[in-house]
Amino acid sequence: MSNKSKLLFNKRKSRTRFRIKEHSTNSIRLSVYRSNANIYAQIIDDDKHATLISFSSLDKDLKKQTENKGGNSKVAEIVGKTIAKKAIEKGIKKVYFDRGAYLYHGRVKAL
C-alpha cells in the first residue's frame, strides 16, 4: 500500500459513526469510495446498520457501455444517476452525502 493510500485509509478509519451521525440530519447516508480505477457508492441506513443499495463502476453492463473506463468523471456521473434511480425506486428521497476523506472535487463531485 502506498503512503497516500495509507493516509486516506487512516483518515477514513479515524472517523467514527458518532461523528457522521453528529453532522447528519438524516439517518440514511450516501457513502462514496474511490480508487484509482473505479468508484463505488452505497446508501447506508445507520439506524439499522445495513447497506440498502450499492452500485459501482464494476457493473458488467456499465463496463460494456463505457469500455472499461471506470476511473473517469463521466462514469462517476453515470454511477450517481443509477444509484439515485435505485434509491427513488426504494422510496428514499433524502440522504446525507458522506464523501469520506475525499475532497468534493473531480469524480466525487461528478457522482
Side-chain angles (χ1 to χ4, degrees), residues 55-101:
F55 194 74
S56 72
S57 59
L58 292 173
D59 185 59
K60 290 181 183 179
D61 297 332
L62 184 60
K63 274 190 160 187
K64 288 178 186 175
Q65 182 182 358
T66 60
E67 301 165 359
N68 288 334
K69 296 181 181 177
N72 63 19
S73 296
K74 291 178 184 175
V75 175
E77 190 175 327
I78 294 169
V79 170
K81 287 180 181 178
T82 306
I83 201 157
K85 286 178 187 175
K86 287 184 174 187
I88 290 171
E89 287 173 6
K90 281 209 168 189
I92 300 169
K93 297 192 182 201
K94 283 189 177 183
V95 294
Y96 169 69
F97 188 71
D98 175 19
R99 61 181 174 79

Side-chain angles (χ1 to χ4, degrees), residues 16-47:
T16 60
R17 286 182 183 237
F18 177 74
R19 286 183 60 199
I20 291 170
K21 284 183 184 179
E22 183 179 273
H23 295 332
S24 74
T25 57
N26 197 352
S27 64
I28 298 175
R29 64 186 164 103
L30 171 64
S31 179
V32 176
Y33 173 74
R34 70 170 174 80
S35 66
N36 289 336
N38 295 297
I39 190 157
Y40 309 82
Q42 58 182 350
I43 295 179
I44 303 167
D45 188 351
D46 285 326
D47 291 338

